[in-house]
Amino acid sequence: MDTWPDEIIKLLDENIDFFYGWECKCATQTSAYLHDEFVIRFREVLKKHNLIGYHCTNLAIHEIDGILASGMIAQTKITLINRIEKMKVNSLITEQVAGELKRTNQAAADCRSDMIWFCFFKPYLESECGIGGFFQYWGGESLYGCHELTEIGENLKKIGIPCIVKASVPMSQLNESYLPEKEMFRVFLKDRGHNISEQIEHEAFSEKDISAENIIDIIQYPSDLFVELSGCDNWINLSL
């Protein structure tokens, strides 16, 4: 909370009655109408600010340079095919592997297309089961998810560098249903000594590209910071 804007702290302090009964067990709920009305107001304030997020991935050197220069692009079927072509041009995959990757992927799926996912907490909290695959395979889950335990999947393991992209994500770019008002209420209440039973960790996706000026760092394996953020030195079943 030390980094939260004064505007947000003040708004929460002045309106605590409208949400604390909803996000902790130690108070009576206000009316649903008053609660929902405050949530709408709070969301509009959130959209003026950014959140620090972490994107777990595996990138080739030219992709790291591209993100630092031009930012992150929300993946679609077209952008994935372009990435595969660049990998082929750079002799990082063969023509045969490139063809199979372009034929078999989930980049156009509604649950994946035009999204850039971030966790707004230290990634190690997801454990190796939650984030290990992002680091082990090049191409993202929409690609490697179709090729795990295959020869193509083994090819994807041999290319790229495990990376954590740290970015300042505009909350105005998050899908409306993924704004973190509940999680922020809980953090605020926990700081005030209330007993919080629900999680405060938040994940969401940006529906727009992330500009280069919002890229804070690309933390690469095996740096100490990468190991700290990923927790990979404590993994049991996976290794990088």
Side-chain angles (χ1 to χ4, degrees):
M1 280 184 57
D2 292 341
T3 60
W4 288 18
D6 291 341
E7 176 187 25
I8 286 179
I9 298 293
K10 183 174 185 293
L11 186 61
L12 292 175
D13 264 327
E14 292 176 350
N15 295 276
I16 190 170
D17 289 347
F18 297 137
F19 63 86
Y20 81 138
W22 291 83
E23 299 301 337
C24 65
K25 304 293 185 182
C26 50
T28 304
Q29 293 179 348
T30 57
S31 74
Y33 173 79
L34 292 174
H35 170 70
D36 292 347
E37 187 179 60
F38 178 68
V39 167
I40 292 170
R41 286 172 54 205
F42 189 61
R43 283 183 167 186
E44 291 308 306
V45 173
L46 288 183
K47 291 176 186 178
K48 299 190 294 183
H49 299 283
N50 292 12
L51 274 180
I52 301 299
Y54 300 92
H55 178 79
C56 299
T57 187
N58 181 305
L59 301 168
I61 290 292
H62 68 267
E63 293 179 310
I64 294 172
D65 293 340
I67 290 173
L68 291 173
S70 305
M72 302 176 73
I73 299 174
Q75 183 166 276
T76 64
K77 180 82 169 184
I78 293 172
T79 61
L80 178 60
I81 288 174
N82 290 339
R83 291 179 66 203
I84 293 168
E85 278 297 309
K86 285 188 178 180
M87 297 297 278
K88 184 183 72 174
V89 168
N90 287 321
S91 301
L92 294 171
I93 55 176
T94 65
E95 177 80 40
Q96 179 183 3
V97 169
E100 181 57 31
L101 294 177
K102 285 187 281 188
R103 280 190 296 273
T104 310
N105 62 76
Q106 298 175 333
D110 290 342
C111 60
R112 301 190 187 280
S113 186
D114 295 301
M115 301 175 183
I116 308 175
W117 278 93
F118 293 91
C119 60
F120 297 98
F121 52 85
K122 300 298 175 61
Y124 68 79
L125 293 173
E126 283 281 11
S127 77
E128 63 183 294
C129 179
I131 61 176
F134 300 135
F135 297 131
Q136 280 204 311
Y137 299 89
W138 176 82
E141 191 173 23
S142 64
L143 186 65
Y144 78 74
C146 301
H147 300 283
E148 289 179 280
L149 306 178
T150 69
E151 185 177 345
I152 295 293
E154 290 303 311
N155 276 270
L156 296 178
K157 283 184 177 182
K158 295 174 183 176
I159 54 179
I161 301 167
C163 294
I164 299 173
V165 182
K166 182 179 181 180
S168 178
V169 182
M171 282 190 266
S172 60
Q173 294 186 190
L174 300 181
N175 179 276
E176 182 78 18
S177 63
Y178 280 86
L179 284 167
E181 72 279 349
K182 290 183 179 180
E183 289 78 8
M184 294 186 73
F185 293 162
R186 293 167 192 159
V187 171
F188 180 84
L189 290 168
K190 185 177 180 180
D191 184 71
R192 295 297 189 270
H194 292 276
N195 182 25
I196 305 302
S197 59
E198 298 293 332
Q199 70 176 34
I200 59 176
E201 292 79 25
H202 184 64
E203 299 179 32
F205 62 90
S206 173
E207 297 181 305
K208 297 181 180 179
D209 299 345
I210 304 296
S211 66
E213 66 183 15
N214 287 88
I215 303 298
I216 298 171
D217 195 7
I218 299 181
I219 303 144
Q220 301 177 41
Y221 177 81
S223 70
D224 290 343
L225 183 54
F226 179 94
V227 172
E228 176 189 337
L229 289 173
S230 67
C232 63
D233 56 338
N234 295 316
W235 291 358
I236 297 173
N237 300 311
L238 300 177
S239 61
L240 297 178

